Amino acid sequence: MTKKTQRLIWILSALSLLAGLTFLFAFTKGPINFTLDFRLPRLIAFIVVAISMSLATVTFQTLTHNNLLTPNIIGIDSIYIMFQILSIFLFSSQSLIQTNPVLHFSLNTLGVVIFSLVLFNFFFKKFPNNIPLMLLFGLVLGILVNSFNNFLQVIMNPDEYSAVLSQTLVSFSQVDSRVLTLALLSIIPIAFYLFKNRHELDVLSLGNDYAQNLGIAVQKRQLVYFSLVAVLTSIATALVGPVSFLGFLGANIAYTILEQRRHDAVFIVTSLVVFLFITFGQVIVDHLFQAEVNLGIIIEFIGGLYYLFILLKGRSRQ
């Protein structure tokens, strides 16, 4: 890394530390131990989601060679919601699957991961080196799954429908510590693996032909990385709900402020930017808006505007 990049990372790290301390200790009422017991798991969840969405989005954009895409384009968030709805529709909101948070998290995450792996394996074997077709199929499948989800919600009774809404809406407010531990243990080896193979991702970002000429088994490695993207996205979605633009925001801001596109720097800067968005955003929501506004809605709104800005900015250069 250059000295400018290292300086930027130190600045973002300091801001992240300030954001974390502000979230933990600002506007505290009552015993500090009680406040920390409530806020510390949420802060750890912010870190898990920031790392998961950042690594997943950057890796996905590297594999697809498109900064405007996010992993949710292949329907991961829609599939997650479908599993949530089906588990309540088939077994009720009082079943063991719903009342046991670890079992609920594990089954939903596993279901999304299995779906993603089947999708990737099918396309890499049936249509090798045709990622655009896979993305288009995932996009259409996501639309179909959303229609199916809406149908199930219509025929549900009101109580079950309320349970579905509480589980599928984006929420950074409540995190189960047992689920958080499982999520943390899941992303640590994946994050280590991606960072260890950052140089290979640097080569893949140059294009498939260059990577092939440099001795990389492109199709095999793409399948591995797409699978890891699915796992990371599933974990983040299962923790806080579907947040399509969160990783997109962090990744594209990182591309803008960095002078280079090496993955070690991009991974770190994107994670720090996403963490700042979540943490400072949650402080504002909790204490300025008195928790009456959902942070996920704000992130999606800002992300949508930023997406349009980048799209129109790119068009104006043509």
Side-chain angles (χ1 to χ4, degrees):
M1 296 184 192
T2 64
K3 290 185 177 180
K4 183 178 179 180
T5 300
Q6 292 177 358
R7 186 161 55 248
L8 175 63
I9 291 175
W10 278 111
I11 292 173
L12 290 174
S13 299
L15 290 174
S16 298
L17 179 61
L18 175 62
L21 293 176
T22 302
F23 177 78
L24 286 177
F25 299 107
F27 308 102
T28 57
K29 297 179 181 179
I32 191 65
N33 291 338
F34 175 78
T35 303
L36 288 178
D37 288 341
F38 175 68
R39 294 184 181 180
L40 187 58
R42 294 174 64 194
L43 184 65
I44 298 174
F46 297 167
I47 297 173
V48 172
V49 172
I51 294 175
S52 298
M53 291 305 299
S54 299
L55 297 184
T57 303
V58 171
T59 304
F60 188 82
Q61 291 177 348
T62 296
L63 298 175
T64 57
H65 308 289
N66 193 324
N67 296 345
L68 295 177
L69 299 180
T70 68
N72 287 326
I73 194 174
I74 58 177
I76 293 179
D77 53 346
S78 301
I79 296 298
Y80 163 79
I81 294 175
M82 183 187 72
F83 279 115
Q84 295 276 24
I85 295 174
L86 282 176
S87 63
I88 293 177
F89 184 80
L90 297 175
F91 304 105
S92 85
S93 58
Q94 303 302 317
S95 65
L96 180 63
I97 296 176
Q98 296 297 320
T99 56
N100 187 314
V102 174
L103 181 62
H104 180 260
F105 173 83
S106 301
L107 290 179
N108 280 283
T109 303
L110 185 62
V112 176
V113 170
I114 291 175
F115 158 79
S116 303
L117 292 178
V118 170
L119 173 64
F120 296 146
N121 274 284
F122 170 76
F123 271 92
F124 275 96
K125 291 180 179 179
K126 191 74 174 178
F127 307 102
N129 300 320
N130 200 339
I131 292 178
L133 180 62
M134 182 186 72
L135 298 178
L136 181 61
F137 179 84
L139 180 63
V140 175
L141 181 64
I143 296 174
L144 293 175
V145 171
N146 278 332
S147 300
F148 178 67
N149 293 341
N150 292 333
F151 170 74
L152 289 179
Q153 292 177 29
V154 167
I155 62 177
M156 275 183 168
N157 67 60
D159 292 336
E160 305 294 353
Y161 178 71
S162 299
V164 168
L165 283 181
S166 66
Q167 293 184 8
T168 56
L169 289 177
V170 179
S171 175
F172 294 89
S173 300
Q174 295 181 350
V175 179
D176 190 283
S177 58
R178 293 169 294 177
V179 170
L180 184 58
T181 302
L182 185 60
L184 191 60
L185 292 176
S186 300
I187 71 161
I188 287 176
I190 299 176
F192 177 78
Y193 180 84
L194 290 176
F195 200 84
K196 179 183 177 182
N197 291 276
R198 61 192 182 278
H199 300 305
E200 186 175 71
L201 289 169
D202 290 337
V203 176
L204 287 171
S205 66
L206 300 176
N208 294 346
D209 293 336
Y210 286 101
Q212 191 80 43
N213 292 333
L214 291 172
I216 295 178
V218 175
Q219 186 172 334
K220 180 180 178 181
R221 299 304 295 162
Q222 283 179 339
L223 178 58
V224 172
Y225 289 126
F226 272 124
S227 302
L228 295 179
V229 165
V231 176
L232 290 172
T233 307
S234 302
I235 291 173
T237 304
L239 269 181
V240 298
V243 188
S244 303
F245 284 113
L246 186 57
F248 169 83
L249 271 172
N252 282 275
I253 290 174
Y255 299 147
T256 302
I257 62 180
L258 281 170
E259 59 182 1
Q260 55 186 356
R261 295 285 291 267
R262 290 175 51 179
H263 280 77
D264 52 357
V266 175
F267 280 154
I268 297 173
V269 171
T270 303
S271 299
L272 292 172
V273 170
V274 172
F275 177 76
L276 285 170
F277 260 106
I278 298 174
T279 310
F280 274 133
Q282 194 63 49
V283 170
I284 294 173
V285 166
D286 285 346
H287 305 293
L288 181 61
F289 296 107
Q290 301 299 316
E292 295 181 357
V293 179
N294 189 298
L295 177 59
I297 297 175
I298 297 176
I299 291 175
E300 294 295 279
F301 178 74
I302 296 175
L305 291 178
Y306 189 58
Y307 185 94
L308 293 176
F309 169 76
I310 292 178
L311 194 63
L312 294 175
K313 184 180 179 181
R315 292 284 298 176
S316 66
R317 290 178 178 177
Q318 295 179 358

